[in-house]
């Protein structure tokens, strides 16, 4: 028997502070999961398997944000053992919904939830992975889109850059022929400043985009805020609109801050 | 001088195939289990704190992010609580659609647990992927079942993880009759596959182990309770959801970032499929009842390892119920009823796949959230998980180290613990001193 079979690339999936939804997107590849498992060695993926294989890993997918001193150390070790490190989802890419603590006093947060705050070890900020280590690619979305995930995995396993669009949700609406909810019905929508990837889900369901994929490349948030103001949105609401699942993404953070009293 | 008691440590650094990460610690001194701790290391995410100051309409989308595996449970408990605060009741087709969306979540979540997370334990595999090397068709059946549940969530919710179509009062957009009909075929297949699933898991080797739990679930006068009901228990609890806090006490323990819940004056209790089944067997559809009987389950099951059979029976029910709801669907006139805010406190409780999920919100006249309280199923089950381990390990101290370790992990996985809702790093350490 010839021994020319190439070693299968090692795939690892890691979790930090998050809801597991982006990891679940891997398992939600119901039609492709077994093929994927045949094409790679699933070397570390605790949600799916007891078996773990030592690194180095060819591709590490990282879900979740850094919120404890222990996790800040752990991500460095993972980076050292990973050829490519790809973040999946809004938590890993922008700090997630839990980055709302960044605008408040986290000690007060601890005391609201826990009777004995001294037992809780946490950082005052929830930060994206890229604040701690070099990241090769950031896949946006809360949650990520499974087709985009497949594209990213395929790209890294073949050593090319992923083909993931950086344009806005508006483009997806136009392509799908969805009537603009803001122009036609006066529904506030973050589509003009939000990165594509969901397939214009919310406008397709007659609601405005709430920005779960995070900012697109060079978004004009100031212009959008003016339009939202004309629809009757007060400053306090504008702050909230930009402070959800991607509150820590620089463009959305700046947009919220500019309306804070 | 007494001889030193025997010393032995069993340790697994990361418990796999659960949602999230946590640790387990068992200390055995001589021939006695001295201490058991389910350690929940999940870094806290402070949802209850960060909801303060948000608008009451936002809780639906924000709390979904507590859990990617059961976002609908969070959305439904949140809508119930807010509508309760505002004095609004959602009925008719909109209520049916909520129940259908929830059935979709039960199907995908139960299929995920039964096939990908739990079954490999009974058959000695590290994962479903390893299992697929020997029996690909069974794993494919599980994946297709899961996909049928996800199809319901995608059609009604827009996507399977963090659906976007749920709002206070109903939905942003309701499906057409033909969109609904398109779900029927995959669900009919899924119902048959679920019956097969019950037969398959009923044949697994179950450790001989029973516990006398107080089981708590919702109970509804005429349906298998999912989206509403009264709090009921096998020891006579019968209370309205708004009385949850009168019966359930939460306390913080040093070894866990999740609060421990007990019933005031009585102690640990069990929520989830076994509790629902024990309290609502008579409300299951005939097909689900028959599947359960054929599997050898009585009307109450007290062996936590058999929870996989109960889950499979619920899979049959969820498919059956989804088909019933699809069949009788007539699109409502409006996708949602109005929910005007008023200063009040509201309570909501629904049956997440892992058990009752309680939300309480206080809002002001403008709809600003002043206070939020969320009690997820896994934090309610923490003490039961610890008690299971205590009894289970005590009776099996003579087992080989690796076998006992794996069975301990399995005892935790019986609960399908959602550690993301409550935890992060599930590690199993069994230390023998």
């Amino acid at each position: 028997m010839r021994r020319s079979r190439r070693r299968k690339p090692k795939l690892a999936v890691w979790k930090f502070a998050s809801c597991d939804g982006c990891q679940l997107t891997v398992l939600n590849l119901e039609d492709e999961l077994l093929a994927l498992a045949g094409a790679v060695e699933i070397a570390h993926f605790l949600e799916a398997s007891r078996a773990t294989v030592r690194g180095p890993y060819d591709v590490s997918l990282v879900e979740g944000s850094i919120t404890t001193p222990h996790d800040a150390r752990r991500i460095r070790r993972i980076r050292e053992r990973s050829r490519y490190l790809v973040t999946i989802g809004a938590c890993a890419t922008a700090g997630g919904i839990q980055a709302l603590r960044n605008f408040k006093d986290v000690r007060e947060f601890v005391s609201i939830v826990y009777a004995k705050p001294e037992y809780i070890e946490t950082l005052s900020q929830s930060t994206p992975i890229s604040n701690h280590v070099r990241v090769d690619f950031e896949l946006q979305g809360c949650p990520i889109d499974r087709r985009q995930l497949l594209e990213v995995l395929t790209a890294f396993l073949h050593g090319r850059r992923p083909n993931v669009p950086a344009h806005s949700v508006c483009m997806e609406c136009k392509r799908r022929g969805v009537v603009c909810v803001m122009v036609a019905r006066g529904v506030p929508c973050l589509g003009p400043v939000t990165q594509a990837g969901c397939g214009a889900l919310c406008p397709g369901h007659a609601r405005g985009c709430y920005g779960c994929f995070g900012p697109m490349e060079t978004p004009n948030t100031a212009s959008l805020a003016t339009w939202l103001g004309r629809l009757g949105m007060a400053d306090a609401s504008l702050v909230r609109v930009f402070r959800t699942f991607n509150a820590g993404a620089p463009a959305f953070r700046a947009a919220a801050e500019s309306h804070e009293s | 001088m007494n001889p030193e008691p025997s010393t032995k440590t069993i340790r697994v650094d990361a418990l796999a195939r659960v949602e999230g990460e946590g640790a387990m610690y068992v200390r055995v001194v001589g021939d006695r289990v001295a201490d058991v701790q389910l350690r929940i290391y999940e870094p806290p995410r402070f949802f209850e704190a960060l909801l303060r100051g948000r608008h009451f309409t936002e809780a639906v989308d924000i709390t979904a992010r507590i859990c990617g595996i059961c976002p609908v449970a969070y959305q439904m408990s949140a809508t119930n609580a807010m509508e309760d605060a505002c004095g609004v009741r959602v009925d008719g087709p909109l209520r049916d659609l909520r129940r259908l969306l929830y059935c979709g979540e039960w199907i995908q979540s139960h299929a995920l647990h039964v096939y990908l997370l739990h079954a490999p334990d009974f058959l000695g595999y590290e994962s479903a992927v390893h299992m697929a090397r020997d029996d690909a068709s069974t794993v494919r059946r599980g994946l297709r079942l899961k996909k049928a549940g996800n199809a319901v969530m995608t059609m009604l919710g827009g996507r399977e993880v963090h659906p976007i179509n749920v709002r206070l009062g109903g939905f942003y957009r309701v499906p057409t009759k033909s969109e609904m009909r398109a779900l029927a075929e995959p669900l009919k297949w899924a119902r048959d596959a679920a019956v097969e699933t019950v037969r398959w898991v009923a044949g697994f080797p179950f450790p001989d182990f029973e516990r006398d739990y107080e089981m708590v679930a919702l109970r509804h006068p005429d349906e298998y309770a999912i989206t509403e009901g009264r709090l009921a228990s096998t020891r006579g609890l019968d209370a309205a959801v708004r009385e949850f806090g009168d019966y359930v006490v939460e306390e913080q323990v040093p070894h866990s970032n999740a609060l421990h819940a007990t019933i005031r004056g009585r102690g640990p209790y069990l929520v989830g499929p076994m509790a629902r089944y024990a309290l609502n067997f008579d409300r299951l559809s005939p097909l689900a009842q028959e599947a359960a009987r054929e599997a050898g389950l009585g009307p109450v099951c007290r062996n936590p390892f058999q929870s996989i059979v109960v889950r499979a029976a619920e899979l049959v029910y969820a498919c059956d119920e989804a088909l019933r709801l699809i069949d009788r669907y007539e699109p409502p006139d409006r996708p949602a009823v109005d929910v005007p805010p008023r200063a009040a406190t509201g309570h909501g409780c629904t049956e997440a796949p892992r058990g009752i999920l309680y939300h309480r919100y206080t809002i002001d006249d403008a709809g600003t959230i002043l206070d939020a309280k969320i009690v997820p199923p896994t934090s309610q089950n923490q003490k039961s998980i610890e008690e299971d381990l205590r009894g289970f390990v005590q009776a099996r101290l003579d087992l080989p180290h690796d076998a006992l370790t794996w069975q301990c992990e399995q005892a935790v996985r019986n609960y399908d613990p959602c550690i993301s809702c409550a935890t992060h790093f599930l590690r199993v350490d069994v230390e023998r001193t």
Side-chain angles (χ1 to χ4, degrees):
Chain A
M1 205 174 106
R2 292 196 308 147
R3 294 179 56 85
S4 62
R5 261 179 48 199
R6 286 182 55 199
R7 181 182 69 83
K8 280 191 194 173
K10 282 188 193 169
L11 174 71
V13 184
W14 311 94
K15 175 182 156 68
F16 291 83
S18 66
C19 77
D20 272 48
C22 293
Q23 286 188 77
L24 180 64
T25 305
V26 180
L27 298 178
N28 280 348
L29 294 169
E30 289 111 357
D31 295 331
E32 298 90 4
L33 185 65
L34 293 182
L36 175 70
V40 301
E41 179 177 11
I42 297 178
H44 183 101
F45 185 7
L46 282 186
E47 187 171 329
S49 179
R50 282 179 96 234
T52 55
V53 179
R54 287 164 69 100
Y57 306 100
D58 293 278
V59 179
S60 275
L61 300 178
V62 178
E63 176 194 85
S65 68
I66 303 298
T67 61
T68 66
H70 171 258
D71 279 356
R73 292 188 294 273
R74 187 160 63 101
I75 190 63
R76 283 190 211 108
R77 290 200 302 276
I78 290 169
R79 173 71 265 186
E80 283 162 14
R81 287 178 285 157
S82 305
R83 183 169 175 223
Y84 296 118
L85 189 150
V86 175
T87 64
I88 52 170
C91 297
T93 300
I97 184 74
Q98 56 271 14
L100 290 179
R101 76 172 67 175
N102 300 3
F103 312 102
K104 294 274 170 63
D105 178 358
V106 78
R107 280 165 306 177
E108 186 207 329
F109 271 31
V110 173
S111 67
I112 288 172
V113 180
Y114 296 100
K116 295 173 191 139
E118 63 275 17
Y119 295 158
I120 303 298
E121 188 186 46
T122 189
L123 294 170
S124 62
Q125 305 260 308
S126 165
T127 45
I129 301 300
S130 63
N131 278 25
H132 301 266
V133 295
R134 181 174 54 82
V135 170
D136 294 292
F137 190 80
E138 295 182 320
L139 184 59
Q140 296 179 205
C142 179
I144 54 169
D145 176 77
R146 68 160 104 181
R147 289 150 300 193
Q148 288 198 342
L149 174 67
L150 264 187
E151 162 59 17
V152 167
L153 277 174
T154 310
F156 278 100
L157 292 172
H158 289 89
R160 63 169 172 83
R161 291 298 290 175
N163 180 16
V164 171
H167 57 242
S168 73
V169 169
C170 286
M171 301 278 282
E172 295 191 301
C173 263
K174 301 299 168 280
R175 269 197 204 121
R176 281 187 57 189
V178 173
V179 174
C180 178
V181 293
M182 197 146 94
V183 171
R185 297 186 18 242
V187 174
C189 180
L190 288 189
V193 298
T194 300
Q195 181 167 299
C198 65
L201 266 187
C202 288
H205 283 75
R207 81 177 280 196
C209 164
Y210 60 86
C212 65
F213 270 64
M216 64 181 290
E217 205 171 65
T218 63
N220 190 347
T221 53
S223 169
L224 178 67
T226 305
W227 282 102
L228 294 175
R230 281 183 206 162
L231 289 174
M233 204 177 267
D235 273 351
S237 302
L238 279 170
V239 172
R240 279 206 316 267
V241 157
F242 286 108
R243 271 196 192 145
T244 59
F245 315 104
N246 292 278
F252 283 5
R253 187 172 62 212
E257 274 163 8
S258 71
H259 294 276
E260 234 172 348
S261 46
Chain B
M1 203 175 88
N2 289 329
E4 286 284 309
S6 63
T7 299
K8 204 169 168 190
T9 305
I10 301 178
R11 190 187 187 101
V12 176
D13 281 337
L15 183 62
R17 302 204 316 271
V18 295
E19 291 116 19
E21 298 166 305
M24 176 69 60
Y25 172 80
V26 181
R27 193 159 62 91
V28 182
V29 178
D31 58 359
R32 195 176 59 86
V33 176
D35 194 16
V36 178
Q37 293 178 356
L38 178 67
R39 290 178 174 173
I40 290 192
Y41 284 121
E42 167 101 11
R45 288 181 292 151
F46 304 114
F47 277 86
E48 290 160 324
L50 57 84
L51 281 161
R52 288 187 173 188
R54 303 298 301 206
H55 198 238
F56 79 133
T57 55
E58 294 181 297
V60 175
D61 294 319
I62 291 177
T63 59
R65 267 68 185 185
I66 293 175
C67 179
I69 290 124
C70 58
V72 169
Y74 282 89
Q75 296 189 319
M76 293 297 127
S77 287
T79 54
N80 277 2
M82 292 301 181
E83 287 159 11
D84 179 51
C86 301
V88 171
R89 219 190 126 66
V90 175
D91 260 317
L94 290 174
R95 183 178 182 280
D96 281 1
L97 286 175
R98 286 180 168 178
R99 192 171 166 82
L100 176 62
L101 177 63
Y102 221 139
C103 284
E105 177 157 292
W106 273 28
I107 295 167
Q108 68 84 14
S109 176
H110 278 3
L112 173 77
H113 187 252
V114 168
Y115 280 87
L116 300 187
L117 308 183
H118 207 193
D121 276 329
F122 293 97
L123 302 171
Y125 292 101
E126 304 276 3
S127 76
V129 167
H130 293 85
M131 199 164 96
R133 288 172 198 159
D134 295 336
D135 186 2
S137 67
T138 300
V139 176
R140 284 213 180 85
R141 181 175 68 199
L143 289 169
R144 197 172 155 192
L145 245 170
K146 182 164 147 310
K147 192 177 168 185
N150 277 338
V152 175
M153 293 178 74
T154 303
M155 194 277 288
L156 258 178
R159 62 184 169 201
E160 60 270 20
V161 180
H162 306 327
I164 52 92
N165 194 28
V166 175
R167 62 180 294 180
L168 296 185
F171 295 84
Y172 288 91
R173 176 187 171 275
V174 291
T176 61
K177 280 188 93 158
S178 72
E179 283 173 318
M180 278 293 222
R181 271 197 301 272
L183 286 177
E185 279 315 307
L187 280 171
K188 279 181 192 158
W189 177 88
R191 182 169 57 186
D192 292 343
V195 172
E196 284 298 310
T197 304
V198 178
R199 287 186 193 130
W200 177 55
V201 297
F204 287 175
F206 296 108
D208 192 13
F209 181 69
E210 287 204 342
R211 286 222 15 243
D212 185 22
Y213 303 99
E214 172 159 12
M215 304 196 201
V216 178
L218 294 179
R219 183 156 165 89
H220 186 275
D222 36 52
E223 57 192 23
Y224 197 74
I226 299 178
T227 57
E228 64 177 318
R230 284 176 69 81
L231 294 162
S233 93
T234 47
R235 292 189 195 151
L237 174 70
D238 178 20
V241 166
R242 84 179 80 86
E243 297 172 289
F244 184 90
D246 300 340
Y247 293 93
V248 173
V249 199
E250 282 186 294
E251 60 170 347
Q252 192 183 353
V253 294
H255 65 263
S256 177
N257 284 354
L259 303 176
H260 273 203
T262 50
I263 293 193
R264 197 182 295 275
R266 292 217 285 270
Y269 61 101
L270 177 78
V271 302
M274 292 210 322
R276 285 194 291 259
Y277 178 86
L279 286 151
N280 298 293
F281 179 81
D282 56 338
R283 306 279 193 267
L284 281 170
S285 62
L287 185 67
Q289 284 185 2
E290 188 191 313
R293 275 199 205 94
E294 233 183 73
L297 288 180
V300 181
C301 168
R302 291 190 185 82
N303 181 341
F305 291 87
Q306 285 181 306
S307 63
I308 192 169
V309 188
V310 177
R311 254 189 204 88
E314 281 198 340
L315 256 174
V316 175
Y317 176 74
C319 293
D320 222 9
E321 178 66 359
L323 282 163
R324 185 185 74 85
L325 293 166
I326 287 168
D327 193 48
R328 73 173 198 179
Y329 177 65
E330 289 295 334
D333 300 333
R334 297 168 59 204
V337 298
D338 291 334
V339 184
R342 66 178 189 193
T345 295
H347 307 259
C349 189
T350 65
E351 286 284 356
R354 288 148 202 84
I356 53 171
L357 167 61
Y358 170 77
H359 289 215
R360 184 196 74 209
Y361 301 99
T362 302
I363 60 172
D364 68 12
D365 275 330
T368 304
I369 298 173
L370 305 176
D371 180 65
K373 182 166 190 62
I374 295 168
V375 186
T378 295
S379 80
Q380 300 178 69
N381 275 336
Q382 276 185 102
K383 265 197 171 4
S384 274
I385 298 174
E386 290 182 350
E387 293 298 307
D388 277 12
L389 269 160
R390 182 182 295 276
F392 187 75
V393 171
Q394 186 63 59
R396 285 164 184 76
L397 286 173
D398 54 340
L399 271 183
H401 183 89
D402 289 352
L404 182 58
T405 303
W406 195 336
Q407 290 198 17
C408 284
E409 287 179 52
Q410 191 181 344
V412 176
R413 281 194 282 267
N414 287 334
Y415 285 80
D416 188 9
C418 199
I419 298 171
S420 288
C421 293
T423 79
H424 230 77
F425 226 106
L426 197 47
R427 239 170 30 195
V428 179
D429 298 340
V430 183
E431 186 185 301
R432 298 184 188 194
T433 310

